[in-house]
Amino acid sequence: MTLYTAAMVHDFNHPGRNNNFLANTSDPLALMYNDRSVLENHHIAAAFRILLQPECNFVSKLTKEEYKEFREMMIELVLATDLQAQHFSILGMFKNKVSLTNSFDPVKVHEDRTLLFKMMIKCADVSNPTKAWPIYERWTQRILDEFFNQGDAEKSLGIPVSPYYDRDTIYIPASQMGFIDFICVCLP
């Protein structure tokens, strides 16, 4: 239940700007979360504000300990979707644990299960290139629209435009190949 719920809320209430933009513009969210995994912290906090409303609280029957475990795992999983802050460290831990130590046991070891769930949500989060072309193309256009809107905002504010966010200079096929090679292919 926790993994599914984390997947549902991992981008909840996304403002259409990335963490760097929020930090560089001193956005209230960046100030609230001290420039660290701003969006991911916001997604989980906003989701819990709704979840705790009586009409939405599907975890109200959990014991105190079960709820604590649910909340801690939700936070871990949503924070794991921050590509800038955690992607390569989580990937390295997973590869090390699975390939080198040969001691990976997600059934018996809580930390291994958490690491597996982090990898699962990360794979799902960047899975668009694995989808059929019409779906992949539609979602790529949506994310590019978001990127370009942010790039336009950066230009109008006179701040450096984020890489891949400038609609006037991006070469979309190369940007997608870079995303696939740099982020997706290195996943297990």
Side-chain angles (χ1 to χ4, degrees):
M1 170 178 75
T2 308
L3 182 58
Y4 287 124
T5 308
M8 286 188 287
V9 306
H10 85 278
D11 271 341
F12 175 67
N13 202 22
H14 197 292
R17 302 290 189 257
N18 68 20
N19 285 330
N20 286 336
F21 180 91
L22 299 177
N24 290 337
T25 59
S26 297
D27 185 271
L29 288 175
L31 297 175
M32 180 183 303
Y33 298 114
N34 299 310
D35 300 340
R36 303 224 199 286
S37 299
V38 174
L39 290 169
E40 294 74 18
N41 277 298
H42 171 66
H43 301 320
I44 194 70
F48 268 95
R49 279 192 293 277
I50 290 175
L51 175 64
L52 294 178
Q53 296 173 8
E55 66 274 14
C56 299
N57 194 344
F58 64 89
V59 295
S60 62
K61 302 288 188 220
L62 295 178
T63 66
K64 221 175 214 183
E65 187 56 37
E66 289 169 334
Y67 174 77
K68 181 178 184 273
E69 190 174 308
F70 170 80
R71 181 166 162 75
E72 287 174 358
M73 180 68 80
M74 286 279 294
I75 293 167
E76 286 288 320
L77 295 178
V78 173
L79 289 176
T81 64
D82 185 343
L83 286 175
Q84 188 176 18
Q86 294 201 28
H87 181 71
F88 292 105
S89 63
I90 292 171
L91 183 60
M93 285 187 289
F94 184 77
K95 286 182 175 182
N96 183 52
K97 189 76 169 159
V98 172
S99 304
L100 301 177
T101 66
N102 205 20
S103 64
F104 186 65
D105 189 354
V107 174
K108 294 179 184 171
V109 180
H110 177 75
E111 291 79 15
D112 290 354
R113 185 169 39 260
T114 300
L115 185 56
L116 176 63
F117 286 176
K118 285 179 180 182
M119 289 303 299
M120 291 171 72
I121 199 167
K122 290 178 77 43
C123 287
D125 189 31
V126 298
S127 68
N128 284 334
T130 68
K131 297 185 170 70
W133 174 250
I135 297 169
Y136 174 50
E137 182 181 33
R138 187 168 50 245
W139 279 102
T140 298
Q141 190 56 57
R142 287 177 178 163
I143 193 70
L144 288 173
D145 288 344
E146 181 180 306
F147 286 4
F148 296 157
N149 287 335
Q150 177 179 315
D152 294 344
E154 290 168 331
K155 286 178 186 178
S156 72
L157 292 169
I159 60 177
V161 177
S162 299
Y164 309 110
Y165 285 56
D166 189 335
R167 70 177 71 244
D168 299 322
T169 61
I170 192 170
Y171 180 58
I172 294 171
S175 74
Q176 287 302 296
M177 290 304 300
F179 173 73
I180 291 167
D181 290 343
F182 190 65
I183 300 296
C184 301
V185 171
C186 63
L187 291 170

